Every structure is written in C-alpha cells, then in structure tokens.
Amino acid sequence: MTRVTRILALASAIAALVAACAVYDGPARISAEAPDRAAFASVAPLLVDRCGSLDCHGSIYRSYRLYGVFGARLDAAHRPDSPATTPAEIAADYDATVSLEPEIVARVASGAATAGELTLVRKATGAEQHAGGARLPSGSDGERCLVAWLARRADDDACRRAVAAP
Amino acid sequence: ALVFATCMACVGCVDPVHDGAVAALGPEDPAVAVGPRHRADQPCLVCHGGAGPAALELSVGGTIHLREGEGSPADGVEVVVRDARGREAIARTNDTGNFHLARGAFDPAFPLRVEIRRAGRARVMRSEIPREGSCSACHRGAGDTLHVPAVYLEARP
C-alpha cells in the first residue's frame, strides 16, 4: 500500500466516523407557518406578468413553474393568451412559490428571517445572477408586493401599482 | 488516469437535451436549400443559438405570416427589435417569411421589445421577451396550451 493510498484510506475512515456521529433529530418538524394563501391573489398577477412568460417560468421545463395568462396553462382547453389567469392557476402558483425553499419561507413568514434569504427574492430583485434579470427591482412596488406578502404583511396597493406599471 | 480524463472530457461535451431538441426538428426539406429560407416556423436558435450544429449564431430569428391563422408567409416585413439598453436592430423577412439577426451584428440585452411593420401596417408585441430569441419557441401554428399562435401581420378579417 503506497503512502498516498494509506492517507486516502485514513481520510475515508475519519469521514465515515464523523458521519456516523451525526445525530438524527427525529421529532424535529418544519413550521407550518406560511404566507397567506388568500392574499396571494394580489401577488399572483404580478408574478405571472413579470416572471411567467412562455420562455421563462411559464415554461413547463422550469422547476419553478408559474401558470397563468401569457404563460403555460393548467387547463388543456386554455391557451396562453386566453382566458385570464384562473383561481386554479393562482392556487398552483402559490404552491410553487412557497415550496421553493419551504423552511426559509416559513422562517420569513414567522419573522425569524428576512425575505432576502430566499433565492426567489434575490433573483427577482437582481441581487443574485438571474437569466431573466431583475424582474422586481430593489425598491420597486413589485419587490414591496412580494416581500410584504412573504412576511404576512400583504400590501395590495403595492401589488396593484406594480401590475399597472409598464 | 489519462483514459479516465479523456472519457470524462468526452462525456462533458454531450448535451442530450440539446441533441434531442435538434433531432426533434427533423430532416431538412430537400426542396429548400440550407440557408435563410430553410426551416420556416421552426425555432431558429435550437441550431443557431451557439451550441450548434449550425455555424452561424443568431440572437433573434423567426417567421412572420401574412394573416392570422393562415400559413402564407409575409415577405418584406421589417422586424424592429429593441433591447433593454435601448439599442435597436431591424431585420427584414424574405419570401418564406423568415428573418434573422446574427449575434455578431446584434447581441442584445434582454428583455426585448418587438414590433413588425410593412407598408404602413404595424403590430407591436404586447409583452416583453425575457430571454428567448426564437419566435417559434412560443409562437406556433394555431396555438395550444403552451404556445401562442404564429406571428402574423394582419388580423383575421
């Protein structure tokens, strides 16, 4: 056995021992606290408009997938340009949004973390590299709408202004 | 080690998703020469997007039809593309309705805004284009659950 092989074997044994010492915290549970589902009805039009186009998150090939008008549709009888976003699509968009990073979403909703800890917010505001760019720029009504809802302080006025903005 | 490294390098060059997308386009129409007139209504950037197999890299490309719901191509349509930095490029469709902008001449910053116009008639795309350079990635045929109808110059009478 060469010296290098002995070192690798020793390192593997140490790694295995360390892993074996990890404690399984069986009773631990994720907080069920989440942003308000009903209030998401004000946020959905913004996300669908800014993020849900057919070539972005309105594509069925995306892990974060939004359904709604001008994007992918849930109902096979619907087309991207008609009808308007349906309640079923808003519900699906809610599930997609809160399921991205559920542990952090729960902490943001309970006030234990800031929205900026969410990849969704960092990408949407341009704080993190995002192929689609800053769709809800920092300081915009769009950012206010999303962040306020995540923190369970829904700001419907900001959402309305953001959707109406060009 | 050399054989392993070579194998890994070879595997790293394979993109089955891209290869599948290229294969899904099917063979060339033998009646149409490979060039600006070929593969109307297909997503240009699958092959011309930089990952091959086409050598010419495009930033934007597509096919414009004359009337809504009809297959007839619209020749001589100006396609005006404005990027996020305010730069503008204009392409013109040929007799198959095809147009393209080579990336070497216009490398836009997304999102894009697009307008098409011919002989005093113009249509402006309602939404921005966040990232896709191929019209037919989103505009296809009569439209379906995942596509809006093909791009047309004149609405149905």
mmCIF file of all heavy atoms in Angstrom, chain A residues 72-95:
data_model
loop_
_atom_site.group_PDB
_atom_site.id
_atom_site.type_symbol
_atom_site.label_atom_id
_atom_site.label_comp_id
_atom_site.label_asym_id
_atom_site.label_seq_id
_atom_site.Cartn_x
_atom_site.Cartn_y
_atom_site.Cartn_z
ATOM 1 N N ALA A 72 -47.775 29.208 -19.454
ATOM 2 C CA ALA A 72 -48.351 27.865 -19.522
ATOM 3 C C ALA A 72 -49.711 27.849 -18.828
ATOM 4 O O ALA A 72 -49.943 28.600 -17.890
ATOM 5 C CB ALA A 72 -47.415 26.877 -18.841
ATOM 6 N N ARG A 73 -50.600 27.008 -19.306
ATOM 7 C CA ARG A 73 -51.939 26.922 -18.726
ATOM 8 C C ARG A 73 -52.141 25.551 -18.105
ATOM 9 O O ARG A 73 -51.652 24.542 -18.615
ATOM 10 C CB ARG A 73 -53.015 27.157 -19.805
ATOM 11 C CG ARG A 73 -52.834 28.426 -20.605
ATOM 12 C CD ARG A 73 -52.609 29.679 -19.775
ATOM 13 N NE ARG A 73 -53.606 30.000 -18.795
ATOM 14 C CZ ARG A 73 -54.563 30.920 -18.958
ATOM 15 N NH1 ARG A 73 -54.632 31.593 -20.092
ATOM 16 N NH2 ARG A 73 -55.416 31.183 -17.988
ATOM 17 N N LEU A 74 -52.902 25.534 -17.045
ATOM 18 C CA LEU A 74 -53.207 24.273 -16.364
ATOM 19 C C LEU A 74 -54.250 23.469 -17.120
ATOM 20 O O LEU A 74 -54.151 22.255 -17.234
ATOM 21 C CB LEU A 74 -53.747 24.564 -14.960
ATOM 22 C CG LEU A 74 -52.787 24.548 -13.784
ATOM 23 C CD1 LEU A 74 -53.563 24.755 -12.495
ATOM 24 C CD2 LEU A 74 -51.990 23.262 -13.724
ATOM 25 N N ASP A 75 -55.247 24.169 -17.629
ATOM 26 C CA ASP A 75 -56.353 23.506 -18.316
ATOM 27 C C ASP A 75 -55.990 23.330 -19.788
ATOM 28 O O ASP A 75 -55.670 24.310 -20.474
ATOM 29 C CB ASP A 75 -57.611 24.376 -18.174
ATOM 30 C CG ASP A 75 -58.862 23.669 -18.679
ATOM 31 O OD1 ASP A 75 -58.757 22.885 -19.652
ATOM 32 O OD2 ASP A 75 -59.947 23.900 -18.121
ATOM 33 N N ALA A 76 -56.038 22.102 -20.257
ATOM 34 C CA ALA A 76 -55.645 21.820 -21.638
ATOM 35 C C ALA A 76 -56.512 22.549 -22.653
ATOM 36 O O ALA A 76 -56.120 22.725 -23.808
ATOM 37 C CB ALA A 76 -55.695 20.320 -21.899
ATOM 38 N N ALA A 77 -57.692 22.999 -22.230
ATOM 39 C CA ALA A 77 -58.580 23.714 -23.153
ATOM 40 C C ALA A 77 -58.219 25.192 -23.241
ATOM 41 O O ALA A 77 -58.736 25.907 -24.097
ATOM 42 C CB ALA A 77 -60.028 23.563 -22.699
ATOM 43 N N HIS A 78 -57.352 25.664 -22.360
ATOM 44 C CA HIS A 78 -56.982 27.083 -22.358
ATOM 45 C C HIS A 78 -55.733 27.317 -23.194
ATOM 46 O O HIS A 78 -54.931 26.418 -23.401
ATOM 47 C CB HIS A 78 -56.736 27.564 -20.927
ATOM 48 C CG HIS A 78 -57.972 27.548 -20.081
ATOM 49 N ND1 HIS A 78 -57.955 27.670 -18.715
ATOM 50 C CD2 HIS A 78 -59.281 27.416 -20.417
ATOM 51 C CE1 HIS A 78 -59.181 27.624 -18.242
ATOM 52 N NE2 HIS A 78 -60.019 27.456 -19.252
ATOM 53 N N ARG A 79 -55.601 28.555 -23.652
ATOM 54 C CA ARG A 79 -54.412 28.929 -24.422
ATOM 55 C C ARG A 79 -53.682 30.033 -23.680
ATOM 56 O O ARG A 79 -54.269 30.720 -22.834
ATOM 57 C CB ARG A 79 -54.816 29.374 -25.824
ATOM 58 C CG ARG A 79 -55.351 28.189 -26.587
ATOM 59 C CD ARG A 79 -55.691 28.437 -28.003
ATOM 60 N NE ARG A 79 -55.319 29.702 -28.592
ATOM 61 C CZ ARG A 79 -55.387 29.929 -29.880
ATOM 62 N NH1 ARG A 79 -55.788 28.977 -30.678
ATOM 63 N NH2 ARG A 79 -55.073 31.101 -30.381
ATOM 64 N N PRO A 80 -52.402 30.230 -24.000
ATOM 65 C CA PRO A 80 -51.647 31.236 -23.251
ATOM 66 C C PRO A 80 -52.303 32.618 -23.236
ATOM 67 O O PRO A 80 -52.229 33.317 -22.230
ATOM 68 C CB PRO A 80 -50.306 31.260 -23.987
ATOM 69 C CG PRO A 80 -50.157 29.892 -24.542
ATOM 70 C CD PRO A 80 -51.551 29.484 -24.945
ATOM 71 N N ASP A 81 -52.947 32.999 -24.332
ATOM 72 C CA ASP A 81 -53.497 34.355 -24.391
ATOM 73 C C ASP A 81 -54.947 34.452 -23.941
ATOM 74 O O ASP A 81 -55.527 35.540 -23.959
ATOM 75 C CB ASP A 81 -53.335 34.938 -25.796
ATOM 76 C CG ASP A 81 -53.933 34.058 -26.871
ATOM 77 O OD1 ASP A 81 -54.344 32.922 -26.548
ATOM 78 O OD2 ASP A 81 -53.985 34.492 -28.031
ATOM 79 N N SER A 82 -55.551 33.367 -23.540
ATOM 80 C CA SER A 82 -56.946 33.405 -23.104
ATOM 81 C C SER A 82 -57.307 32.100 -22.400
ATOM 82 O O SER A 82 -56.865 31.032 -22.823
ATOM 83 C CB SER A 82 -57.854 33.603 -24.319
ATOM 84 O OG SER A 82 -59.201 33.598 -23.949
ATOM 85 N N PRO A 83 -58.080 32.119 -21.353
ATOM 86 C CA PRO A 83 -58.672 33.263 -20.657
ATOM 87 C C PRO A 83 -57.686 33.863 -19.654
ATOM 88 O O PRO A 83 -56.507 33.486 -19.652
ATOM 89 C CB PRO A 83 -59.851 32.618 -19.924
ATOM 90 C CG PRO A 83 -59.350 31.240 -19.595
ATOM 91 C CD PRO A 83 -58.486 30.836 -20.760
ATOM 92 N N ALA A 84 -58.190 34.767 -18.812
ATOM 93 C CA ALA A 84 -57.354 35.342 -17.752
ATOM 94 C C ALA A 84 -56.937 34.242 -16.780
ATOM 95 O O ALA A 84 -57.516 33.145 -16.774
ATOM 96 C CB ALA A 84 -58.143 36.430 -17.011
ATOM 97 N N THR A 85 -55.948 34.531 -15.992
ATOM 98 C CA THR A 85 -55.452 33.558 -15.009
ATOM 99 C C THR A 85 -56.600 33.076 -14.116
ATOM 100 O O THR A 85 -57.386 33.875 -13.603
ATOM 101 C CB THR A 85 -54.367 34.212 -14.134
ATOM 102 O OG1 THR A 85 -53.337 34.712 -14.992
ATOM 103 C CG2 THR A 85 -53.764 33.217 -13.168
ATOM 104 N N THR A 86 -56.692 31.772 -13.966
ATOM 105 C CA THR A 86 -57.822 31.176 -13.243
ATOM 106 C C THR A 86 -57.479 30.961 -11.762
ATOM 107 O O THR A 86 -56.299 30.917 -11.398
ATOM 108 C CB THR A 86 -58.182 29.812 -13.856
ATOM 109 O OG1 THR A 86 -57.076 28.911 -13.635
ATOM 110 C CG2 THR A 86 -58.447 29.922 -15.348
ATOM 111 N N PRO A 87 -58.511 30.804 -10.915
ATOM 112 C CA PRO A 87 -58.250 30.513 -9.499
ATOM 113 C C PRO A 87 -57.401 29.252 -9.308
ATOM 114 O O PRO A 87 -56.551 29.204 -8.415
ATOM 115 C CB PRO A 87 -59.656 30.337 -8.915
ATOM 116 C CG PRO A 87 -60.529 31.186 -9.800
ATOM 117 C CD PRO A 87 -59.950 31.048 -11.174
ATOM 118 N N ALA A 88 -57.614 28.240 -10.132
ATOM 119 C CA ALA A 88 -56.818 27.011 -10.007
ATOM 120 C C ALA A 88 -55.352 27.298 -10.302
ATOM 121 O O ALA A 88 -54.443 26.719 -9.671
ATOM 122 C CB ALA A 88 -57.351 25.946 -10.968
ATOM 123 N N GLU A 89 -55.101 28.190 -11.253
ATOM 124 C CA GLU A 89 -53.711 28.534 -11.574
ATOM 125 C C GLU A 89 -53.075 29.348 -10.452
ATOM 126 O O GLU A 89 -51.892 29.162 -10.127
ATOM 127 C CB GLU A 89 -53.669 29.293 -12.904
ATOM 128 C CG GLU A 89 -53.969 28.371 -14.093
ATOM 129 C CD GLU A 89 -54.151 29.099 -15.412
ATOM 130 O OE1 GLU A 89 -54.579 30.276 -15.400
ATOM 131 O OE2 GLU A 89 -53.897 28.472 -16.458
ATOM 132 N N ILE A 90 -53.869 30.228 -9.850
ATOM 133 C CA ILE A 90 -53.343 31.001 -8.712
ATOM 134 C C ILE A 90 -52.973 30.052 -7.571
ATOM 135 O O ILE A 90 -51.931 30.203 -6.930
ATOM 136 C CB ILE A 90 -54.373 32.052 -8.256
ATOM 137 C CG1 ILE A 90 -54.528 33.122 -9.346
ATOM 138 C CG2 ILE A 90 -53.958 32.696 -6.933
ATOM 139 C CD1 ILE A 90 -55.625 34.136 -9.083
ATOM 140 N N ALA A 91 -53.806 29.055 -7.353
ATOM 141 C CA ALA A 91 -53.519 28.080 -6.295
ATOM 142 C C ALA A 91 -52.241 27.305 -6.612
ATOM 143 O O ALA A 91 -51.408 27.057 -5.731
ATOM 144 C CB ALA A 91 -54.700 27.119 -6.134
ATOM 145 N N ALA A 92 -52.081 26.926 -7.874
ATOM 146 C CA ALA A 92 -50.872 26.192 -8.265
ATOM 147 C C ALA A 92 -49.639 27.079 -8.136
ATOM 148 O O ALA A 92 -48.563 26.620 -7.722
ATOM 149 C CB ALA A 92 -51.013 25.695 -9.711
ATOM 150 N N ASP A 93 -49.792 28.353 -8.468
ATOM 151 C CA ASP A 93 -48.663 29.288 -8.353
ATOM 152 C C ASP A 93 -48.277 29.498 -6.889
ATOM 153 O O ASP A 93 -47.092 29.632 -6.560
ATOM 154 C CB ASP A 93 -49.013 30.629 -9.012
ATOM 155 C CG ASP A 93 -49.185 30.505 -10.512
ATOM 156 O OD1 ASP A 93 -48.753 29.474 -11.076
ATOM 157 O OD2 ASP A 93 -49.771 31.420 -11.127
ATOM 158 N N TYR A 94 -49.277 29.538 -6.022
ATOM 159 C CA TYR A 94 -48.998 29.663 -4.580
ATOM 160 C C TYR A 94 -48.170 28.465 -4.114
ATOM 161 O O TYR A 94 -47.135 28.626 -3.458
ATOM 162 C CB TYR A 94 -50.306 29.747 -3.793
ATOM 163 C CG TYR A 94 -50.105 29.703 -2.293
ATOM 164 C CD1 TYR A 94 -49.903 30.881 -1.578
ATOM 165 C CD2 TYR A 94 -50.094 28.485 -1.604
ATOM 166 C CE1 TYR A 94 -49.690 30.845 -0.200
ATOM 167 C CE2 TYR A 94 -49.880 28.441 -0.234
ATOM 168 C CZ TYR A 94 -49.683 29.630 0.459
ATOM 169 O OH TYR A 94 -49.464 29.576 1.816
ATOM 170 N N ASP A 95 -48.631 27.272 -4.477
ATOM 171 C CA ASP A 95 -47.910 26.061 -4.050
ATOM 172 C C ASP A 95 -46.476 26.073 -4.574
ATOM 173 O O ASP A 95 -45.537 25.714 -3.858
ATOM 174 C CB ASP A 95 -48.645 24.812 -4.557
ATOM 175 C CG ASP A 95 -49.984 24.615 -3.850
ATOM 176 O OD1 ASP A 95 -50.159 25.157 -2.741
ATOM 177 O OD2 ASP A 95 -50.854 23.931 -4.424
#
